[in-house]
Amino acid sequence: MRRDLAIDLGTANISVLARRESVVVTEPAVVARLSDTGEVVAIGREAERMVGRTHDRLQTVRPFGPGSVLDAAAARELIRAMLRRAGVRRRHRVRAVVAVPSFMTPLEQRAVVDALAAGGVLASRLVGHTMAAAVGCRLPVEQPVGSLVVDVGAGTTEAAVLSLGGVVALEWRPIGGLDLDREIQALVDRRHGVVIDRSTAERVKRALAAGAEAWPVTVRGRTASSSAVARLDRQEVLDALDEPIRSLVDVVVACAGWAPPEIAADLTAGGVHLVGGVAQLDGLAARIGEACRLPIHPVVDPEAVTVRGAARLLGGFDGPAEVFLDGLPAAPAPVPVDGPEAR
């Protein structure tokens, strides 16, 4: 029995959506394992809660980096667990359209395909994050009309001008939500003398998307000798994030600048579609629009639109569509995915 899935591989999260289904299964892309034996003890949210709290025998790993597979063994276990949580069993033959960074080299693409095969995906096709997001936004990517899509992820920001099923212009930079989290951690340490973990910094970042009514924000951390509390003002956080946000904006400006003159009018009419986990950050859309002099179109559910676009592409899995990054590479036999799940 065949099972068709869409997968969004990110630095911080992995999302899976079955064809013709609406519920997206999303987990942090984290694996916790014993360092001496390699035994996996937790995956996803349970593993993320262990980050920074492990002992010498236990390590937490993020298998995927910006456009690369950093740990093949951990990637295999993460994919196997995600397939199980999406309802895949031994009898299923899994095909998947997988959203990955558009700038990946053929060698990096091969590493992803190998990791997918080892995790239980019999056949896979790769599509760039921006292309999948454009399909999820129902943009006319296969027509002779230019569309500008910006994906601000955890580890990278990529912007692409798309037309006729291909990428006309692409710009990216290894900066994203994780860098913003680190800036917030540095701010709280520098200004308030309190050390906070990344999850707390992410909560502060998400408060920026909630608007001014969510402020001020109180965070709990530690000093050198005891626990402590810091009260953060919205403007001081925005000031701390000014430089990395400027770098994000520069990616979009550079990409728009590479677009041919014939597409400029399309971009003026179509504007910018901003997706990804950082898309709702307060003030980001306005700064991009002002810098590019282009309208910003709101995207419904910007964090899930990429995997939903990949799911729409499952219908063309066997076709020669130019939207895919790869051909149809042969993959080794998959590993069964219905064994006992990590505790």
Side-chain angles (χ1 to χ4, degrees):
M1 183 183 300
R2 197 180 75 194
R3 192 78 189 276
D4 289 351
L5 301 175
I7 302 174
D8 181 8
L9 284 183
T11 304
N13 297 295
I14 178 172
S15 298
V16 179
L17 176 62
R19 190 178 185 183
R20 299 189 181 92
E21 294 185 8
S22 59
V23 178
V24 178
V25 179
T26 300
E27 292 278 350
V30 184
V31 175
R33 65 188 178 193
L34 298 178
S35 56
D36 50 354
T37 66
E39 178 187 357
V40 174
V41 298
I43 287 174
R45 288 185 178 84
E46 185 181 354
E48 187 176 51
R49 287 195 292 267
M50 299 178 182
V51 175
R53 298 175 173 86
T54 59
H55 49 73
D56 291 342
R57 290 189 59 236
L58 188 63
Q59 62 178 185
T60 54
V61 180
R62 291 190 182 274
F64 299 103
S68 62
V69 179
L70 302 179
D71 191 309
R76 178 187 67 239
E77 296 302 326
L78 176 63
I79 291 168
R80 292 182 66 187
M82 289 301 294
L83 294 186
R84 286 193 294 268
R85 293 171 190 182
V88 174
R89 296 296 178 260
R90 181 185 293 272
R91 67 181 182 275
H92 291 137
R93 295 170 60 84
V94 180
R95 302 192 316 175
V97 170
V98 186
V100 297
S102 306
F103 52 82
M104 292 182 74
T105 66
L107 184 61
E108 291 168 338
Q109 293 176 26
R110 181 73 253 182
V112 168
V113 171
D114 289 344
L116 290 163
V121 178
L122 178 64
S124 59
R125 298 202 74 174
L126 307 183
V127 62
H129 276 140
T130 46
M131 181 64 75
V135 174
C137 292
R138 300 183 181 273
L139 299 180
V141 294
E142 294 187 336
Q143 298 178 20
V145 177
S147 301
L148 177 55
V149 178
V150 182
D151 179 24
V152 188
T156 59
T157 295
E158 66 174 78
V161 176
L162 311 168
S163 179
L164 289 172
V167 177
V168 177
L170 175 67
E171 194 75 25
W172 72 279
R173 188 169 298 181
I175 184 171
L178 294 176
D179 298 278
L180 301 183
D181 294 341
R182 285 190 283 268
E183 288 293 336
I184 293 171
Q185 288 177 285
L187 163 72
V188 179
D189 188 12
R190 182 176 64 253
R191 294 280 296 272
H192 301 272
V194 177
V195 177
I196 61 173
D197 59 20
R198 195 192 71 81
S199 62
T200 302
E202 184 175 8
R203 181 169 64 84
V204 174
K205 181 180 66 183
R206 289 188 177 277
L208 290 175
E213 63 275 8
W215 294 84
V217 171
T218 300
V219 297
R220 183 174 296 277
R222 61 175 174 82
T223 63
S225 58
S226 64
S227 62
V229 172
R231 189 176 175 87
L232 305 181
D233 177 76
R234 178 173 173 271
Q235 190 58 49
E236 70 173 327
V237 176
L238 288 174
D239 290 343
L241 297 181
D242 182 70
E243 184 174 342
I245 289 177
R246 186 182 299 117
S247 295
L248 301 183
V249 174
D250 288 344
V251 174
V252 187
V253 172
C255 181
W258 284 112
E262 294 80 3
I263 289 181
D266 297 336
L267 301 186
T268 300
V272 180
H273 291 78
L274 189 61
V275 304
V278 190
Q280 300 176 78
L281 188 70
D282 187 38
L284 178 60
R287 288 185 62 169
I288 290 176
E290 181 180 358
C292 298
R293 298 182 180 180
L294 295 173
I296 306 294
H297 291 294
V299 173
V300 177
D301 199 2
E303 294 189 66
V305 69
T306 299
V307 73
R308 295 191 186 281
R312 292 189 66 204
L313 290 171
L314 282 164
F317 189 94
D318 295 317
E322 295 181 359
V323 296
F324 295 112
L325 294 177
D326 58 329
L328 283 170
V335 177
V337 299
D338 63 342
E341 190 160 353
R343 295 187 298 273

